[in-house]
Amino acid sequence: MATLRSFLFSNAFKTSNWSYLVCRGFRNRCFVITSIPSASGKSFSPIPESILKSKNFSTSSSLLSDEVEKAKGAKQAAEPTIFSKIVDKSIPADIIYEDEQCLAFRDVSPQAPVHFLVIPKSPIPGLSDAQEFSKQLLGHLLLTAKRVAEKEDLSNGYRLVINNGPDGAQSVYHLHIHVLGGRQMSWPPG
């Protein structure tokens, strides 16, 4: 992050095009939201490749394609998912809420300053697999998302996302609600 910050400050006044660069940093990452148009009208990134390839820097389009690629390769399987392992505490997570039906934990690859997941303890592979008898649990997940968002001080608003199936970019087949906040969301979302 220091390398990127020093590059931005040392090069910020070398071209007027820098005013078009929007960089939002959080949790030791920097996300370029807007590309800079060149004189030819094509967009380019004035940031050196060495910085672009660092682990603390990514662009929203590369994050999207990585997640989409993971989702294309993901399959519903009989073995426990990574989320099942978080529920049974066999792998660590930054758990910020837990009750008898669900838990919430911070996303390991946050897409917003505040990004956490709410998951049911009893696994449902995806929203399309939910049954009529699941409606009380589904309501509980939404209310839990609301309560944890309040606890996380997202009073200006937040976005809930449920990815379902390959076209919905679902990469883990254990129903989960993404809660994203702490910045202005854009529209359309995907």
Side-chain angles (χ1 to χ4, degrees):
M1 202 56 183
T3 306
L4 173 64
R5 190 175 293 121
S6 61
F7 176 81
L8 288 174
F9 288 128
S10 66
N11 290 281
F13 300 104
K14 290 185 179 175
T15 171
S16 61
N17 286 340
W18 276 94
S19 62
Y20 296 101
L21 178 67
V22 178
C23 182
R24 181 178 303 278
F26 54 91
R27 297 215 180 156
N28 297 323
R29 292 181 181 216
C30 184
F31 295 84
V32 172
I33 299 167
T34 304
S35 297
I36 298 172
S38 68
S40 66
K42 295 181 179 176
S43 64
F44 73 100
S45 176
I47 301 170
E49 198 167 317
S50 61
I51 294 176
L52 286 171
K53 292 187 177 201
S54 78
K55 70 177 185 169
N56 288 328
F57 184 86
S58 56
T59 63
S60 54
S61 62
S62 69
L63 287 169
L64 175 63
S65 62
D66 289 349
E67 195 60 30
V68 169
E69 289 306 312
K70 277 192 243 175
K72 286 179 181 176
K75 300 281 184 247
Q76 216 169 315
E79 68 262 4
T81 67
I82 189 168
F83 293 164
S84 297
K85 293 175 183 179
I86 289 172
V87 169
D88 72 15
K89 311 284 195 300
S90 61
I91 64 170
D94 185 1
I95 297 171
I96 54 178
Y97 176 85
E98 183 172 8
D99 64 27
E100 63 285 341
Q101 296 180 68
C102 69
L103 59 84
F105 56 93
R106 297 196 190 286
D107 195 295
V108 296
S109 181
Q111 303 303 303
V114 177
H115 184 174
F116 62 89
L117 304 175
V118 179
I119 65 171
K121 286 187 172 180
S122 56
I124 300 170
L127 188 58
S128 60
D129 299 298
Q131 303 295 316
E132 186 67 27
F133 61 82
S134 304
K135 65 182 166 183
Q136 188 172 17
L137 175 60
L138 296 173
H140 180 73
L141 295 174
L142 289 173
L143 289 172
T144 297
K146 172 190 164 275
R147 279 193 289 270
V148 177
E150 288 169 352
K151 184 176 141 193
E152 292 290 310
D153 197 30
L154 295 177
S155 58
N156 257 5
Y158 49 91
R159 177 169 288 164
L160 302 180
V161 177
I162 300 174
N163 299 328
N164 191 75
D167 284 354
Q170 183 177 4
S171 58
V172 178
Y173 280 86
H174 184 129
L175 177 67
H176 53 286
I177 301 171
H178 292 265
V179 182
L180 302 106
R183 67 171 168 85
Q184 178 62 58
M185 298 293 147
S186 59
W187 194 262

